[in-house]
Amino acid sequence: MIVTVLSNESLRPGASDLRIRADASARRPRAGQFAHIACGDALLLRRPISLCDEEAGVWRFVFEHKGPGTRYLAARKPGDTLDILGPLGRGFTCEPEDLPTLLVGGGIGVPPLLLAARRLAGTAHAVLGFRAASLAVLTDELASLCARTAFCSDDGSLGTRGFTDAVARRLLSETAYARVLACGPRPMLRAVAGAARAAGVPCEVSLEERMACGVGACLACACRVRAGAEETFRRVCLDGPVFDAETVVW
Amino acid sequence: MDMNRDVNMAVPFAGLTFQNPVAVASGTFGFGREYGLRFDIGRLGAVCVKGLTLRPRAGNPPPRVAETPMGMLNSVGLQNPGAEAFLRDELPFLRGFNTLVIANVSGDTVEEYAALAGLLSDGGVDMLEVNISCPNVKEGGLLFGTDPRSAAAVTEAVKRRASVPVMVKLSPNVTDIAEIARTVESAGADALSLINTLMGMRIDIRTRRPILHRGMGGLSGPAVRPVAVRCVYQAARAVRLPIMGMGGITCAEDAVEFLLAGAHTVAVGTALFKDETAPLTVLDGLDAYCRANGVSDIRTLTGAMIIDS
Ligand SMILES: Cc1cc2nc3c(=O)[nH]c(=O)nc-3n(C[C@H](O)[C@H](O)[C@H](O)COP(=O)(O)OP(=O)(O)OC[C@H]3O[C@@H](n4cnc5c(N)ncnc54)[C@H](O)[C@@H]3O)c2cc1C
Ligand SMILES: Cc1cc2nc3c(=O)[nH]c(=O)nc-3n(C[C@H](O)[C@H](O)[C@H](O)COP(=O)(O)O)c2cc1C
Ligand code: FES
């Protein structure tokens, strides 16, 4: 669909906060789903960006400027149009339950957890980690959308010094959770999945892989998973990006 | 010509009739289920399905794709569920649409190609597309397509077992594409398709490692189009076989170049990844091109390039 940019602001140096109005016919996005966004005529491939938030048909994307695609997106002005496919993929399980859900986000993996927190209607707990306070995004908003929030950073400039999995491990030992939903760099996901397994709590992780079609047709975005006794490749774009952590072959 | 008169879009091709000359390229369209949710597959001339092998194949580890200037490298590595699972689980779905189904096949040995030809023609596909040009697997693949004798051996073996027309898909990674085209024609092929991807490579200068897990991959998209048009032109001059042209087609104007160079039909692949309805954009654009240029029958464009001497 061709959508109009409503706003596009800098969140911090090197990161943008872009809002668009989706078509009335678009499906309502689930947390963990993504949009596949065309980045101008000069770039052949679309770029996958997670839905960070959705309210009344306004979709929000928060992204870091990595290369030409995300730089193109960062340069869009209100009133410009964007060519977007989505919402695509399988999202997080976000049902409010008797026990709270624990959200664990690292770095630019944090944005999709905002929509998860919103869908969980204020009941979630969150652990958010960044390399440094200067690289943090969405901390205040997540704190206000969650019942409990803990921060950490590699250098101690935000919250406790250390990694999210250590904080998650502590919370998992103190509180009974319905499930863990995690998004961030792969080593973090693996460690968080280990912590959840040790606590006997189901865990879902959002994986990244380079994509072409984004809709399941080209098999570019393979990730290795266990299906029964066998290992096979699944498509991050259609079978994921969110997977049951127990099936992922790290 | 009267702008309101219908343009004849139907194309006879290796004993079959394409309702129009626009197909989708193998490996870019899966088995149609995903794009089938997005547009009417029944409008296509043909669907070339993802490359099939005798046994299921897991494919290569990721990363499998890297962007290049107006192109992309892929090294999917023929991930597919195997020919039997295709016939059981996928062909009935594709049969629900008014389009030709072309089974793209790859083998590690001549015997495997022959077995696939028997299995799939008995299973009810309309045509075989023999992939002797895949750069993304260790054995077979490209090897068969770069050596004329092997190309002839595969073609003959497939022809012996096939009860449907056989189209052989050529690689651009050869010194003389006309020679391979002639060899495959003599070996009994009913049609040619070209081009498959061009071997390429990208290196991440930060990590000093190749971007693709397998190092090299196949280049497709607009970046290869002039190479593809040249290959079609050379092949068309070398043989009498009908040709399905492909490589970087994104719009009708691109497709017309292939027709003028000597293609009878065209396939759209990589363009789908940017524009999900690219094949229909090409089809509708061809109709408009014909109307605007007084072309009443699309077939008259084939090989109609003018060379001033
Ligand atoms: C499901 C999913 C959701 C994502 N959500 C977000 C998000 O909310 N915010 C955010 O900042 N980033 C997100 N990313 C990462 C984002 O897609 C990449 O940063 C972006 O594609 C980089 O494009 P580029 O042209 O700026 O950079 P380049 O590095 O120049 O890109 C070159 C090519 O590699 C691909 N690529 C590079 N990095 C990645 C990556 N990490 N994952 C997948 N493909 C990559 C690009 O798509 C492009 O095809 C997500 C990735 C996936 C798979
Ligand atoms: C992701 C991808 C997978 C492909 N898989 C196959 C395949 O299985 N068999 C085959 O014969 N060609 C395969 N191809 C090659 C295409 O069918 C086509 O020949 C080539 O991409 C050039 O056309 P295009 O530029 O329009 O994509 C693949 C191409 C891509 C991009
Ligand atoms: S990107 Fe094509 S299958 Fe996932």
Side-chain angles (χ1 to χ4, degrees):
Chain A
M1 60 182 164
I2 306 295
V3 299
T4 306
V5 175
L6 298 177
S7 65
N8 194 8
E9 284 152 22
S10 171
L11 260 194
R12 57 158 169 81
S16 294
D17 184 351
L18 177 101
R19 283 185 172 81
I20 58 114
R21 176 168 301 288
D23 285 358
S25 61
R27 272 176 302 133
R28 186 162 178 246
R30 299 171 54 119
Q33 288 191 302
F34 69 96
H36 212 25
I37 310 180
C39 298
D41 291 339
L43 295 175
L44 183 75
L45 298 178
R46 294 169 176 269
R47 301 302 195 254
I49 305 287
S50 299
L51 265 300
C52 167
D53 202 1
E54 184 270 339
E55 275 183 298
V58 175
W59 295 9
R60 181 178 176 196
F61 303 100
V62 164
F63 56 93
E64 270 182 354
H65 311 162
K66 290 273 294 283
T70 45
R71 279 202 301 271
Y72 172 90
L73 294 179
R76 293 310 95 201
K77 300 263 178 293
D80 286 354
T81 56
L82 280 176
D83 174 355
I84 281 183
L85 303 180
L88 299 173
R90 180 176 164 273
F92 289 115
T93 308
C94 283
E95 312 292 331
E97 303 196 29
D98 293 344
L99 298 176
T101 294
L102 180 62
L103 311 177
V104 185
I108 203 60
V110 166
L113 300 183
L114 184 80
L115 185 53
R118 185 180 298 288
R119 297 285 192 248
L120 289 163
T123 64
H125 296 186
V127 180
L128 307 175
F130 300 92
R131 270 184 289 136
S134 60
L135 296 173
V137 291
L138 306 170
T139 46
D140 293 347
E141 285 182 77
L142 267 153
S144 70
L145 280 171
C146 294
R148 185 174 168 192
T149 331
F151 296 102
C152 62
S153 54
D154 298 4
D155 63 357
S157 56
L158 177 75
T160 54
R161 179 193 298 264
F163 295 139
T164 49
D165 57 289
V167 183
R169 213 175 288 273
R170 198 185 73 229
L171 292 184
L172 282 160
S173 70
E174 292 168 5
T175 309
Y177 287 102
R179 62 178 61 81
V180 176
L181 309 180
C183 186
R186 210 172 160 95
M188 179 204 102
L189 295 179
R190 184 179 184 172
V192 170
R197 185 184 323 109
V201 177
C203 178
E204 296 176 1
V205 293
S206 179
L207 301 182
E208 288 190 354
E209 195 44 69
R210 285 168 182 255
M211 295 182 182
C213 72
V215 299
C218 76
L219 308 181
C221 60
C223 72
R224 206 183 283 275
V225 301
R226 257 181 302 275
E230 285 177 32
E231 286 184 10
T232 61
F233 286 117
R234 286 280 144 77
R235 297 162 292 187
V236 170
C237 69
L238 189 69
D239 306 316
V242 174
F243 290 90
D244 174 352
E246 285 306 300
T247 66
V248 176
V249 179
W250 305 99
Chain B
M1 171 194 155
D2 174 2
M3 296 277 285
N4 294 318
R5 222 179 66 203
D6 273 353
V7 179
N8 174 42
M9 281 286 177
V11 181
F13 192 89
L16 300 172
T17 302
F18 279 51
Q19 61 180 334
N20 65 64
V22 182
V24 284
S26 175
T28 62
F29 202 74
F31 301 117
R33 291 196 185 266
E34 297 78 19
Y35 287 111
L37 299 172
R38 293 165 164 86
F39 68 85
D40 178 11
I41 296 179
R43 290 198 58 202
L44 297 171
V47 170
C48 300
V49 305
K50 174 66 196 166
L52 299 167
T53 49
L54 217 41
R55 262 163 290 285
R57 274 186 74 108
N60 295 326
R64 292 178 172 182
V65 62
E67 196 178 43
T68 69
M70 288 323 283
M72 61 173 269
L73 294 168
N74 90 82
S75 70
V76 171
L78 294 178
Q79 175 179 339
N80 82 95
E84 274 174 27
F86 162 75
L87 289 174
R88 189 185 60 231
D89 304 333
E90 307 294 347
L91 185 59
F93 167 77
L94 281 168
R95 276 283 160 246
F97 301 93
N98 175 37
T99 190
L100 298 171
V101 179
I102 302 180
N104 181 280
V105 297
S106 281
D108 292 341
T109 62
V110 172
E111 292 70 34
E112 274 185 28
Y113 277 102
L116 279 162
L119 189 65
L120 289 160
S121 17
D122 293 349
V125 303
D126 296 305
M127 189 186 278
L128 295 170
E129 181 180 49
V130 185
N131 180 4
I132 53 168
S133 41
C134 184
N136 292 325
V137 290
K138 275 206 197 73
E139 322 79 9
L142 188 54
L143 220 90
F144 289 109
T146 49
D147 168 39
R149 253 185 313 167
S150 311
V154 170
T155 307
E156 278 163 13
V158 167
K159 273 300 285 180
R160 268 198 297 277
R161 294 290 293 279
S163 52
V164 296
V166 172
M167 175 162 79
V168 177
K169 186 162 181 180
L170 303 187
S171 170
N173 303 303
V174 295
T175 313
D176 185 358
I177 197 151
E179 183 196 7
I180 296 268
R182 271 190 298 266
T183 313
V184 165
E185 178 177 51
S186 310
D190 302 297
L192 300 178
S193 58
L194 62 156
I195 58 173
N196 207 319
T197 53
L198 274 157
M199 287 277 267
M201 187 168 189
R202 279 208 58 201
I203 300 169
D204 183 332
I205 60 165
R206 203 176 41 84
T207 63
R208 299 194 178 186
R209 286 177 173 79
I211 292 180
L212 297 176
H213 179 92
R214 265 181 59 86
M216 288 177 278
L219 184 64
S220 64
V224 308
R225 195 191 312 130
V227 177
V229 171
R230 181 269 297 173
C231 288
V232 166
Y233 172 68
Q234 289 181 316
R237 302 224 314 176
V239 300
R240 303 175 62 88
L241 300 176
I243 292 176
M244 178 185 283
M246 70 192 84
I249 295 175
T250 66
C251 60
E253 288 74 10
D254 300 345
V256 171
E257 274 198 63
F258 280 83
L259 298 177
L260 294 175
H264 299 71
T265 59
V266 294
V268 178
T270 300
L272 282 158
F273 306 156
K274 185 80 165 273
D275 170 9
E276 296 190 297
T277 55
L280 302 189
T281 309
V282 171
L283 180 56
D284 295 338
L286 280 178
D287 189 74
Y289 172 89
C290 289
R291 287 173 194 278
N293 291 278
V295 176
S296 60
D297 189 330
I298 191 88
R299 291 175 297 176
T300 60
L301 291 174
T302 293
M305 182 179 76
I306 298 166
I307 303 178
D308 295 317
S309 44

